[in-house]
Amino acid sequence: MLCKIPFFVRRYFNRGFEFDIPSKDKVIFLTFDDGPVPEVTPKVLELLERFDAKATFFCVGDNIRKHPDCFRLVVDKGHSVGNHTMHHLKGSAVGFDKYLSDIEDCNRLCGSKLFRPPYGKITRKQFKELKQRGFRIILWSVVSFDYSKKISRKTCLNNSLKLQSGDILLFHDSIKAQSNMLCALEGVLKHYSAKGFRFLAIR
């Protein structure tokens, strides 16, 4: 599994997609998809607070609807939130109108112009329309594969320790991913904090 997106791929597809946020400072952008869920998201927030770290949570609208207190906790802790569609739709598998409607339904709950397409799948037409509506489409530099049952916590951590300044790391604050993710997250926070990195939210 390719956990780090090659630089030439990032630059080739970087016409409107954000794979990283170049910076001269030592900064990393942690991101979490698919929450918020009360079984996992508060644990993530506790770890982040221990290291004075901020992150960006790409929320599924239906989870915001079901767990409003959990969503509010993310916001109150000073983290950024983004749109991950209302029902975690794959853009290449649904019609144009349905996809855009699902995004707008989520946006009424999260109020964010940061958008990450579930599975990283989006059609050219959907992409152009979202850009016209003022959305920033955030992808990632490194994926931890925390959701995969085929990898161990150690492998998940190793996947996550391939970061450079300005990189965006993809985690999931979901029940399925939590064992790998929490282990890797703590390891990333310890490793890069010791190297003088800061963890910032995407604003």
Side-chain angles (χ1 to χ4, degrees):
M1 294 184 288
L2 185 65
C3 57
K4 188 172 181 70
I5 307 298
F7 181 80
F8 72 89
V9 173
R10 299 190 214 179
R11 290 299 167 258
Y12 181 80
F13 289 102
N14 201 26
R15 299 173 182 174
F17 293 104
E18 296 183 52
F19 292 89
D20 52 27
I21 302 175
S23 174
K24 295 180 180 179
D25 299 323
K26 298 173 75 172
V27 296
I28 288 169
F29 299 90
L30 301 175
T31 65
F32 298 85
D33 286 7
D34 297 357
V37 293
E39 297 88 346
V40 183
T41 306
K43 297 175 185 177
V44 172
L45 296 175
E46 289 174 9
L47 263 177
L48 294 173
E49 191 165 18
R50 275 175 47 194
F51 290 88
D52 194 26
K54 298 303 180 188
T56 305
F57 291 77
F58 288 93
C59 300
V60 172
D62 198 45
N63 282 336
I64 299 175
R65 180 188 63 80
K66 290 186 291 188
H67 311 297
D69 291 344
C70 196
F71 176 74
R72 179 50 52 189
L73 186 60
V74 171
V75 175
D76 288 347
K77 292 289 185 179
H79 303 286
S80 292
V81 295
N83 187 320
H84 203 46
T85 77
M86 189 71 186
H87 298 100
H88 204 262
L89 297 184
K90 183 184 292 186
S92 58
V94 299
F96 177 79
D97 291 337
K98 181 177 181 180
Y99 192 65
L100 270 294
S101 176
D102 210 69
I103 291 168
E104 290 300 341
D105 286 346
C106 181
N107 206 43
R108 279 188 278 274
L109 295 174
C110 72
S112 174
K113 287 298 185 180
L114 300 176
F115 177 72
R116 175 172 284 162
Y119 313 100
K121 302 293 186 180
I122 187 171
T123 68
R124 184 179 297 274
K125 184 178 180 182
Q126 292 162 351
F127 166 81
K128 287 182 177 179
E129 180 63 25
L130 288 173
K131 294 299 290 183
Q132 288 179 357
R133 296 187 186 193
F135 283 93
R136 289 174 63 190
I137 301 177
I138 311 294
L139 294 181
W140 53 84
S141 319
V142 177
V143 56
S144 64
F145 291 108
D146 53 358
Y147 56 84
S148 175
K149 298 302 181 183
K150 297 180 180 180
I151 69 170
S152 66
R153 288 184 292 179
K154 182 178 180 180
T155 299
C156 183
L157 173 58
N158 288 338
N159 289 343
S160 306
L161 293 177
K162 301 182 184 298
L163 299 165
Q164 298 174 341
S165 184
D167 276 352
I168 299 171
L169 175 59
L170 170 57
F171 283 128
H172 296 78
D173 56 328
S174 65
I175 294 172
K176 178 171 69 172
Q178 71 168 322
S179 178
N180 281 345
M181 178 273 294
L182 290 172
C183 174
L185 173 60
E186 184 170 12
V188 166
L189 290 167
K190 287 180 177 178
H191 180 82
Y192 286 100
S193 291
K195 290 180 174 292
F197 280 79
R198 293 179 297 137
F199 301 92
L200 303 182
I202 301 171
R203 303 290 186 185

